[in-house]
Amino acid sequence: MRKKLAAGNWKMNGTLGSMIEIDALMEKHPDPKCDVLICPPATLVAAMAATIGDGAIKTGGQDCHAQTSGAHTGDISAQMLADAGASYVIVGHSERRQDHNESDSDIRHKAESAISAGLVTVVCCGETDAEREANSTLEIISGQLAASIPDTATGENLVVAYEPIWAIGTGKVPTLEQIGEVHDFIRAKLEKRFGQDVGCCVRLLYGGSVKPSNADEIFAVSNVDGALVGGASLKAADFSGIITALENS
Ligand code: PGA
């Protein structure tokens, strides 16, 4: 019932030359059994959408502003991303929360704007190392979900990514039990807030050091509907292994 999603976040990496990775990915996966999404830097959204054409891979942004337009130098609105060919956007990535001091309420406003623009919105949450050590992971996730996800969320327009901050780009991965505990918790929270019909349809991604070599076991965990992948999404050869693992899960 939930279509699995392999999402790549290129972060601040890639130039026009990187479109060869998109070509390679389309060649390897012309008709994937799961949704496949790449979120390149904003400079490449239009080029990627044009490269993909009516191919199966979807294009997404990595962030958007909460307003639709105006005097916000350097920012990009959800409408602009949609206009450039994006159908998804990530909001609330921990690197935005940390580097740009984004609060849960900022993220909620961005998500509202993204949903209004017709984008599927990937809201990220996750605890720091210190928060996990202090046994406050579930409390942190609960607070982030409650304050970052707008009331307009549905099973179709919302995806939640659980990304423990200490696992991002570090090669450290939580145990499968830890991933399962948080994903089951997120599912229960969404069902409680939005009702079972909506809560059961929201896709939950795990993110943080996902690689072809650990994807199979992560995708077997309950309530893991895919992955948000940073480093291993940059090369088609690596990301392809993750897509295949998800298709076979
Ligand atoms: P990583 O990044 O796969 O490089 O750990 C994940 C993310 O930040 O989305």
Side-chain angles (χ1 to χ4, degrees):
M1 65 176 171
R2 292 187 296 269
K3 188 151 189 213
K4 308 230 164 125
L5 171 62
N9 172 10
W10 280 10
K11 307 190 180 182
M12 198 171 74
N13 297 290
T15 57
L16 281 175
S18 317
M19 292 304 109
I20 56 168
E21 300 299 332
I22 300 300
D23 286 329
L25 215 49
M26 288 199 292
E27 199 167 306
K28 280 172 190 284
H29 301 275
D31 189 16
K33 279 193 260 150
C34 57
D35 281 340
V36 177
L37 164 69
I38 297 283
C39 300
T43 49
L44 294 179
V45 166
M48 185 171 292
T51 300
I52 291 166
D54 55 12
I57 298 174
K58 297 180 165 61
T59 306
Q62 298 176 10
D63 179 51
C64 66
H65 196 274
Q67 305 294 320
T68 53
S69 64
H72 302 288
T73 303
D75 280 316
I76 292 171
S77 72
Q79 283 73 11
M80 290 169 172
L81 287 171
D83 181 59
S87 51
Y88 282 66
V89 65
I90 300 168
V91 296
H93 190 281
S94 60
E95 287 152 16
R96 299 288 318 173
R97 290 178 186 261
Q98 285 178 338
D99 299 353
H100 299 270
N101 287 321
E102 289 186 7
S103 66
D104 287 327
S105 133
D106 294 331
I107 292 155
R108 185 186 185 112
H109 289 124
K110 288 174 181 224
E112 269 163 13
S113 185
I115 288 171
S116 306
L119 299 178
V120 180
T121 306
V122 182
V123 174
C124 303
C125 61
E127 82 285 2
T128 63
D129 208 3
E131 287 160 350
R132 179 157 285 275
E133 289 301 310
N135 266 329
S136 44
T137 298
L138 297 183
E139 194 188 318
I140 294 293
I141 300 296
S142 173
Q144 290 174 337
L145 294 177
S148 309
I149 297 175
D151 291 334
T152 48
T154 66
E156 288 73 43
N157 66 25
L158 176 72
V159 173
V160 174
Y162 167 55
E163 300 205 303
I165 295 168
W166 49 275
I168 295 177
T170 59
K172 289 191 213 159
V173 183
T175 64
L176 301 179
E177 290 71 28
Q178 287 171 328
I179 295 174
E181 181 191 31
V182 177
H183 279 243
D184 289 350
F185 179 79
I186 295 173
R187 176 75 59 215
K189 283 280 167 197
L190 292 173
E191 288 184 351
K192 183 150 187 249
R193 175 166 166 196
F194 293 101
Q196 214 190 336
D197 287 356
V198 171
C200 76
C201 296
V202 175
R203 292 173 292 177
L204 307 186
L205 309 183
Y206 167 76
S209 298
V210 177
K211 306 183 282 276
S213 59
N214 62 16
D216 279 326
E217 58 181 22
I218 292 172
F219 294 150
V221 175
S222 93
N223 278 311
V224 173
D225 303 311
L228 181 55
V229 183
S233 72
L234 294 173
K235 292 277 169 236
D238 295 331
F239 198 47
S240 171
I242 293 170
I243 294 168
T244 303
L246 190 58
E247 288 181 319
N248 295 334
S249 68

